[in-house]
Amino acid sequence: PTIDQVNISWMMEREGEAFVGIYDIMGRLLKKLSTSGMNYPRGTTTVSLDLRDEAIPAGIYLVKLRAGDFEESVRFVKINSN
């Protein structure tokens, strides 16, 4: 579970395009952390989402990463900071 921040890291074998997005459990895109056509260098890349500044309520979400033929989804849970 997370309260205020999600960090997404991935390794690129070579420079190329990648797309990272946050989706609700119904599959709706809520936030783009990168856009199609955005190139990333070879090696490890990390992007962060500060949930304190976002209108994302407590719940279950998916982070989806697409890079070339590779696609992966990871679930995270946002909890209230009460």
Side-chain angles (χ1 to χ4, degrees):
T2 186
I3 295 173
D4 57 5
Q5 185 168 324
V6 174
N7 296 314
I8 300 101
S9 297
W10 69 92
M11 173 76 89
M12 298 284 285
E13 292 182 7
R14 60 185 175 276
E15 181 179 331
E17 292 182 17
F19 172 81
V20 181
I22 305 292
Y23 294 80
D24 66 14
I25 59 172
M26 299 301 289
R28 294 179 294 234
L29 178 63
L30 301 177
K31 178 85 174 168
K32 293 179 184 178
L33 300 180
S34 71
T35 58
S36 295
M38 194 168 181
N39 276 330
Y40 289 91
R42 181 178 183 260
T44 302
T45 298
T46 301
V47 295
S48 297
L49 174 61
D50 185 350
L51 296 171
R52 293 173 294 194
D53 297 335
E54 299 292 330
I56 296 177
I60 300 171
Y61 299 93
L62 295 172
V63 176
K64 291 187 181 182
L65 167 67
R66 283 194 310 267
D69 293 334
F70 177 80
E71 186 171 324
E72 185 169 347
S73 296
V74 177
R75 183 180 66 151
F76 76 92
V77 177
K78 182 183 181 221
I79 59 175
N80 288 329
S81 58
N82 303 0

